[in-house]
Amino acid sequence: MTVKVEVQTFPHFINGKWEPASSQETFDVCNPATGELVAKVAKGTVEDVNRAVAAAREAFDQGDWKNMKPKDRANVLNAISYQIAEHGQELAYLESISSGGTVRRIGGSDILQMVDLFQTMAKFLVDYPFSETLPVPPFPGPAQNFIWREPIGVCAAITPWNYPMVIGCWKIAPALAMGNTVVIKPASYTPLSTLKLAEIISSVVPPGVINVVAGPGAEVGEALVTHPKVDKVAFTGSTEVGRKIMGLAAGTIKNTTLELGGKSPNIILEDADLNIALPGSLFGVFLHSGQFCESGTRLFVPDKIYDEVVAGLVALTSKLKLGNPLDPATDMGPVISKKQKETILSYIEAGVKEGATLACGGKEVMVPGCEEGNFIEPTIFTNVTNDMKIAQEEIFGPVLAVIRYSDLDEAIKMANDTIYGLAAGVWTRDVNKAYEVARKLQAGVVWINDWHMLRNDAPFGGYKQSGIGREMGKHSLDAYTQLKHVHTSMVTELERRPWYGMLFGQN
Ligand code: NAD
């Protein structure tokens, strides 16, 4: 199926308006499925970042946004969710033609997830403990003490290309809920849906509350992270760039949330129901061509059922249909870029060199009607050992490493033997056994007999070098506030203030 795409132009979105880049320069956004040019986008500079931060600063410092009653801001969050639902098709289309994600997934689950996220945050907001009153202390006399939670200020959000809208919303929704203002820098492969989303959100929030500057990470991203008027950075991306951002944010002691890479272990136990464990494990690794941070890329399989599992995985994989992501019949789209395709192919070559067995896939694919697309066969390696490069490094492509084990403790040890700790999974009919394994796995989320099942009311984030902090859930609201302790003394007589004696000892 070939779909001709009209080339669109996107300026920045600053202070409630479309704004051209100060340099007048643009960069190209191409469809990874067809290679076609789909949009020209304003290429941001430090000057553009300064304009966006100034707008966000003004909206935070001078505007009413942060002073609105929580129930009124909750109404605005609900209004945003209705806007997203109304524009869902357009948003899904823009994201599909730039990220290569299937419209079946984005138009369905991603849009629903975003709609529900804003509504979930609205619900949390209504009874959020913005102020806690502490008990009156016996000493130093009557006093009233409060702990207030206040917004942080201007929040910079930096997002990756794999599922940019949802990841953007994980930052925007809690930030806005708590009364902050936001400047987002999307990845250069996928700025379109974020820019459109900002326009949609802006129809129900005051100007300057949400702003987008697209452009290169090294210029636009770094300008945000080091900007003295930005109070918080929420970053999702690779561990390598995360390390850099943490260092850069140190210069102005910024509050930082980092959602980074993964190499998630998936353990099948001998008693697992293979009818769900096999398609479930492939769902865990091949959805969006393996370009999810939480993909289950290392599969641990016990000796006893190893051959049966591998044969089943290969048979199911052969049924996956690669194609244009705009076609609802497509199971797997392309990978994001030619460069990423080359990186994945070089990992496949490294796997073969290190002695792993290619059970299926391993090559690039020419999809009819998408001859210039970046397609790679879903690939399964068997006889992998956990020390191999393909078992230790994040490939970010459709590549599964199957690792044999004979003893469960040994499998758990290997599962944890990685710098990452984002997600993990276990498949078994014995729920108590599953909880026992889940306790031992070092990961921010553990799925039992499932994968990718994130919830807007549950936290998501990494152990170890997969990140710092959590997104989604009530906890994500805390991450967009700072605490203030307010002490009010009710002691009116000087002589009942003996603590002054620490200074005025003799008088
Ligand atoms: P990336 O780290 O290359 O880029 C992420 C963002 O950072 C982009 O917007 C990029 O332009 C920007 N950037 C790059 N250099 C920068 C710098 N010096 N200063 C500031 N910003 C800079 O990641 P990617 O290739 O876009 O995305 C894939 C990675 O994201 C994978 O490692 C994946 O695991 C990770 N990821 C993590 C999660 C999670 O929730 N933990 C979710 C999705 C993706």
Side-chain angles (χ1 to χ4, degrees), residues 158-163 167 170-171 185-189 215-223 225 235-242 244-245 248 258-262 291-294 336 340 394 396 420 422 460-462 466-467 471:
I158 301 179
T159 52
W161 44 258
N162 57 339
Y163 53 132
I167 290 177
W170 289 350
K171 296 161 179 44
K185 191 213 92 64
S188 296
Y189 290 121
E219 184 167 358
V220 175
E222 288 196 18
V225 176
F235 170 78
T236 299
S238 60
T239 295
E240 192 189 338
V241 176
K244 187 154 193 202
I245 284 182
L248 289 170
L258 302 172
E259 295 283 2
L260 309 175
Q291 300 169 113
F292 280 124
C293 49
E294 78 274 13
I336 188 74
Q340 183 66 9
E394 187 182 44
F396 231 57
Y420 298 111
L422 193 57
F460 177 62
S466 285
E471 294 193 307

Side-chain angles (χ1 to χ4, degrees), residues 329-412:
T330 294
D331 297 324
M332 258 178 67
V335 297
I336 188 74
S337 63
K338 294 227 173 327
K339 186 164 164 258
Q340 183 66 9
K341 184 177 76 177
E342 295 310 323
T343 304
I344 297 165
L345 291 172
S346 76
Y347 271 110
I348 293 172
E349 204 182 312
V352 172
K353 270 204 189 121
E354 281 187 298
T357 308
L358 207 44
C360 67
K363 296 190 297 299
E364 55 187 302
V365 185
M366 176 81 85
V367 169
C370 296
E371 285 75 10
E372 296 301 315
N374 313 312
F375 292 88
I376 296 199
E377 290 176 327
T379 299
I380 300 179
F381 273 112
T382 54
N383 298 319
V384 177
T385 55
N386 198 47
D387 57 349
M388 287 181 182
K389 195 174 155 96
I390 54 167
Q392 286 296 318
E393 294 182 18
E394 187 182 44
I395 301 173
F396 231 57
V399 182
L400 176 66
V402 184
I403 301 169
R404 185 192 286 269
Y405 74 87
S406 48
D407 169 74
L408 182 56
D409 285 338
E410 173 212 2
I412 294 168

Side-chain angles (χ1 to χ4, degrees), residues 247-271:
L248 289 170
T252 42
I253 316 287
K254 280 192 191 19
N255 177 317
T256 310
T257 307
L258 302 172
E259 295 283 2
L260 309 175
K263 193 75 196 175
S264 301
N266 180 12
I267 307 178
I268 294 185
L269 304 195
E270 267 176 29
D271 72 339

Side-chain angles (χ1 to χ4, degrees), residues 124-142:
F124 286 154
L125 186 51
V126 173
D127 42 79
Y128 188 80
F130 281 98
S131 177
E132 276 175 67
T133 307
L134 298 182
V136 175
F139 181 85

Side-chain angles (χ1 to χ4, degrees), residues 127-242:
D127 42 79
Y128 188 80
F130 281 98
S131 177
E132 276 175 67
T133 307
L134 298 182
V136 175
F139 181 85
Q144 219 168 28
N145 290 72
F146 302 106
I147 298 171
W148 291 344
R149 278 200 179 264
E150 298 188 338
I152 298 177
V154 174
C155 302
I158 301 179
T159 52
W161 44 258
N162 57 339
Y163 53 132
M165 260 194 307
V166 173
I167 290 177
C169 288
W170 289 350
K171 296 161 179 44
I172 298 165
L176 296 194
M178 295 291 102
N180 300 279
T181 58
V182 177
V183 180
I184 313 177
K185 191 213 92 64
S188 296
Y189 290 121
T190 55
L192 312 185
S193 47
T194 305
L195 282 157
K196 184 69 200 171
L197 187 65
E199 186 194 33
I200 288 168
I201 293 175
S202 186
S203 67
V204 289
V205 301
V209 167
I210 181 136
N211 309 273
V212 183
V213 178
E219 184 167 358
V220 175
E222 288 196 18
L224 279 170
V225 176
T226 54
H227 203 296
K229 299 270 166 88
V230 169
D231 303 298
K232 178 184 169 86
V233 175
F235 170 78
T236 299
S238 60
T239 295
E240 192 189 338
V241 176

Side-chain angles (χ1 to χ4, degrees), residues 293-304:
C293 49
E294 78 274 13
S295 298
T297 46
R298 290 181 296 147
L299 181 65
F300 294 90
V301 182
D303 268 333
K304 237 186 186 163

